[in-house]
Amino acid sequence: MWTWIIYLWDSMKSNFGVLPALMLLLGIIAGFLFPGIEMSSSSEFKEWLPYTLSSESDARLMQAMIGILSAVSGVVFSVSMLVIAQASSQFGPRIVRIFTNRQITQWTLGAFLGSTLYCLLVLWQIPMESSTRSLMPGTVLLGLISGLVSLLLLIRYIYAVAELMQVQTIIREVSSDLDHSIERLFPESDSKPKRNSRDWDAERLDGGEPVYVNSQGYVQAITYHDLAHFAAQKNYCLRLSTKPGEFVTNHDPVIWVMHKSELTDESRKEMAGMILTGKQRTPRQDVECALRELVEIALRALSPGVNDPYTAMSCIDYLGATLARMCQRESQQTLFFDDEDQVRLYAPRDDFSDAFRTAFHQIRIFAANNPAVILTILKAMKRVAVMTTSESQREAIRSEAEILNSIITETWVYAKDREPALEWYELLMESLKSPENGNEHEAAELPSE
């Protein structure tokens, strides 16, 4: 149930028009509600309000506010579309998620739209009577305040747009999403023995009947605990053949069911409904989604059309820092048990080896002839190596490092390029042999880039 709620909340946050639409609706409600309340209120209440101009002045003020707010609303919308288009072409289309999730853009656009519609409805209801005093001073004052708040939000919005167009801000935002995904998906390490392990023999759950999803797309979320609870109720044993981030169709089996009781069409439909698919990957349960976004920025920076290795090096630094923290956390839960400690669900999940290969594999290919970028990769790997806690983690690093060594020794022509890279490679391999002592080596011992 909570997975569904979180999935819906993520969808609403990433939808650029939800918050502006809600604020537009709020402006409509307030534009009809407040004038009626104030017109029917006592004169003593109106006397207390400081704003008591004539109805004609109220109308002119509302007309001026409508003109200003509607004009700036168009500017905000145009700037937002321009920034999104430019970011999509420069950093990649998947980075647009960072822009649409920025609440300041949605709040600013929603404030201008809601205030404009509110002032328009108030103007429509102002009674043009021959009176020297305003009949709706509070309602008009509220329109003025909402317009001023919208203009203040515009100042913050301009600052946010200027900040968001800086590549370092984009990298930091994507890296922050990646850190949150790791903290959410990978539990903190402790000394308690684990009955869940990736080394568990998954072949014990071979066979069974397949269950298919009713749509195609990327797996965005799986309600693991609900699936395990449902399996315990029906006396099933389930094995997932997919994980968040993978693409599935209605012809791909996503669940294999070993059952002693009857497997009905209703049960199949209910289990298929616990696997949520969509048109794109999201970082909620898919740690590789944010990893790939950071890698995509680096790859675009290394492309011949852009040729910006320093941006790629910044991405590598953040990747190394994130993977170093990931080493200190436990693997994701792959086995789910019932109250009688019987396995009810086996679910393949991402681990450190998958994440490490995703982080550096394509960057290593694109940067094979760039010594500065390869040297940065070796430094990032060294940063990760000193934090490793298992042999499987060290083996994943060792495998990529050996490929880098082959690139350095076999394809680089100049010895001056090879020397610092090979020294860092030797330090990296030494750290993998004895990770507890790996941090004794100082970067100052090596030649500068």
Side-chain angles (χ1 to χ4, degrees):
M1 182 62 183
W2 280 111
T3 304
W4 275 97
I5 296 174
I6 294 173
Y7 173 79
L8 181 61
W9 174 247
D10 286 342
S11 299
M12 291 179 62
K13 283 200 307 180
S14 61
N15 192 322
F16 191 71
V18 171
L19 187 56
L22 291 176
M23 298 185 71
L24 195 64
L25 180 61
L26 181 62
I28 294 175
I29 296 174
F32 281 110
L33 184 63
F34 289 161
I37 293 177
E38 190 168 17
M39 289 292 289
S40 61
S41 61
S42 62
S43 58
E44 290 80 5
F45 175 74
K46 297 176 183 179
E47 295 269 349
W48 175 79
L49 291 170
Y51 187 77
T52 55
L53 297 181
S54 65
S55 298
E56 183 179 356
S57 299
D58 290 347
R60 291 178 180 177
L61 178 60
M62 289 296 97
Q63 289 173 354
M65 292 298 297
I66 291 169
I68 294 172
L69 294 174
S70 58
V72 179
S73 298
V75 172
V76 172
F77 186 80
S78 300
V79 170
S80 300
M81 294 300 101
L82 177 63
V83 169
I84 289 175
Q86 187 171 354
S88 177
S89 61
Q90 183 175 354
F91 304 117
R94 277 158 289 277
I95 308 302
V96 171
R97 180 182 62 84
I98 300 297
F99 290 83
T100 57
N101 283 346
R102 294 280 286 196
Q103 297 298 303
I104 182 61
T105 303
Q106 299 183 28
W107 276 104
T108 303
L109 185 58
F112 275 100
L113 292 177
S115 298
T116 302
L117 192 55
Y118 173 81
C119 292
L120 184 62
L121 293 174
V122 170
L123 176 63
W124 177 47
Q125 299 176 74
I126 292 178
M128 301 302 295
E129 299 178 1
S130 56
S131 173
T132 57
R133 301 183 64 84
S134 172
L135 299 178
M136 296 191 305
T139 302
V140 174
L141 180 60
L142 182 60
L144 179 62
I145 293 174
S146 66
L148 294 176
V149 170
S150 299
L151 293 175
L152 290 176
L153 279 175
L154 177 64
I155 298 173
R156 178 66 181 87
Y157 170 75
I158 294 172
Y159 170 77
V161 168
E163 182 185 35
L164 204 56
M165 288 305 296
Q166 301 176 31
V167 65
Q168 291 295 339
T169 303
I170 298 295
I171 295 173
R172 189 175 65 248
E173 291 279 345
V174 179
S175 178
S176 177
D177 279 355
L178 177 57
D179 289 339
H180 292 156
S181 294
I182 290 175
E183 292 174 2
R184 182 172 57 249
L185 298 174
F186 293 84
E188 293 185 3
S189 179
D190 55 42
S191 58
K192 297 180 181 179
K194 302 292 182 183
R195 60 179 180 177
N196 167 63
S197 170
R198 291 180 65 90
D199 299 328
W200 185 81
D201 186 11
E203 294 182 357
R204 293 166 58 185
L205 293 179
D206 275 352
E209 294 190 39
V211 173
Y212 304 90
V213 291
N214 298 323
S215 61
Q216 68 178 20
Y218 291 97
V219 177
Q220 294 183 337
I222 300 176
T223 58
Y224 293 103
H225 293 282
D226 290 345
L227 272 172
H229 181 69
F230 181 80
Q233 285 183 329
K234 298 292 185 177
N235 197 20
Y236 297 160
C237 193
L238 310 179
R239 175 171 60 88
L240 287 174
S241 57
T242 187
K243 58 184 179 180
E246 292 187 348
F247 187 85
V248 297
T249 68
N250 50 10
H251 301 293
D252 297 326
V254 294
I255 305 174
W256 293 91
V257 184
M258 280 62 69
H259 58 94
K260 296 181 180 179
S261 59
E262 182 183 4
L263 179 59
T264 63
D265 291 339
E266 184 180 350
S267 296
R268 292 175 185 269
K269 184 177 180 180
E270 188 167 353
M271 287 187 290
M274 297 180 189
I275 298 179
L276 312 179
T277 60
K279 61 183 178 181
Q280 62 187 9
R281 302 176 70 164
T282 63
R284 172 58 60 178
Q285 290 187 0
D286 179 15
V287 70
E288 285 194 10
C289 175
L291 271 174
R292 288 173 182 269
E293 290 174 352
L294 207 53
V295 170
E296 182 178 4
I297 297 175
L299 296 181
R300 283 180 173 264
L302 291 172
S303 64
V306 179
N307 193 23
D308 182 13
Y310 291 106
T311 294
M313 292 160 68
S314 295
C315 293
I316 293 167
D317 288 336
Y318 276 97
L319 286 169
T322 298
L323 291 172
R325 286 191 290 271
M326 186 177 179
C327 287
Q328 302 297 303
R329 307 185 78 88
E330 295 288 343
S331 298
Q332 297 183 77
Q333 184 177 357
T334 58
L335 296 179
F336 296 81
F337 300 83
D338 60 13
D339 295 336
E340 298 177 356
D341 284 345
Q342 292 185 353
V343 175
R344 290 299 179 181
L345 174 65
Y346 171 75
R349 311 289 289 273
D350 291 325
D351 66 351
F352 174 82
S353 300
D354 301 327
F356 191 87
R357 180 173 175 80
T358 299
F360 294 115
H361 176 69
Q362 287 191 326
I363 297 179
R364 180 249 300 162
I365 295 174
F366 272 65
N369 296 318
N370 193 318
V373 178
I374 294 296
L375 189 61
T376 304
I377 294 176
L378 288 170
K379 291 179 179 180
M381 287 184 176
K382 169 77 163 48
R383 188 178 296 116
V384 178
V386 298
M387 302 297 289
T388 54
T389 57
S390 67
E391 183 58 32
S392 62
Q393 295 174 349
R394 292 188 283 274
E395 182 57 34
I397 300 174
R398 191 179 293 114
S399 176
E400 286 292 321
E402 289 172 353
I403 298 176
L404 286 178
N405 183 52
S406 300
I407 293 173
I408 294 168
T409 55
E410 297 175 10
T411 64
W412 290 7
V413 177
Y414 300 105
K416 288 293 185 181
D417 290 334
R418 292 196 300 267
E419 288 174 2
L422 290 175
E423 289 186 37
W424 272 103
Y425 171 75
E426 293 299 330
L427 284 178
L428 171 59
M429 299 307 288
E430 189 66 27
S431 299
L432 293 174
K433 292 178 182 177
S434 53
E436 66 277 2
N437 298 322
N439 55 6
E440 294 179 359
H441 304 281
E442 296 293 337
E445 300 172 2
L446 298 177
S448 59
E449 298 181 33

